[in-house]
Amino acid sequence: MAWLVLVVSGVLEAVWAVALDRSQGFTRWGPSLLFVVALAASMAGLALALRTLPVGTAYAVWVAIGAVGTALYGMAALGEPVTAARLLCLLLVVAGVVGLKITS
């Protein structure tokens, strides 16, 4: 159950990162509110997962899900460049986190 909570929290990290960008410096109410709610839920989920998971592994997984998710969203929805190098770098992030999970 802790892993499921951690994955959902990582996805919420990507949500709050995108909402933060869309808030335009907290000048837009909708994205600003989404940012606050997603941030609080993401942190609460991480805290809950840390009750049973090792902090180093859990934090790395949480950050990686958020970072990779945000980057993929940027490429898919915001017109950010999709290059082989960028995709390879994201794959390396995922590989590193999988390696941490396997060896913990």
Side-chain angles (χ1 to χ4, degrees):
M1 184 60 150
W3 283 105
L4 177 61
V5 170
L6 185 65
V7 169
V8 171
S9 296
V11 171
L12 286 170
E13 184 190 4
V15 170
W16 68 252
V18 172
L20 180 61
D21 175 60
R22 292 296 183 220
S23 76
Q24 297 179 354
F26 300 114
T27 61
R28 297 179 60 216
W29 285 101
S32 296
L33 181 59
L34 179 59
F35 164 77
V36 170
V37 171
L39 176 67
S42 180
M43 291 293 171
L46 176 61
L48 183 63
L50 287 176
R51 289 181 179 176
T52 56
L53 300 176
V55 67
T57 302
Y59 183 71
V61 168
W62 180 77
V63 168
I65 292 169
V68 171
T70 303
L72 291 175
Y73 179 83
M75 287 185 243
L78 303 178
E80 295 179 8
V82 179
T83 66
R86 286 173 58 103
L87 294 173
L88 176 62
C89 289
L90 292 175
L91 184 62
L92 289 171
V93 170
V94 172
V97 170
V98 169
L100 281 174
K101 167 64 175 105
I102 291 170
T103 59
S104 63

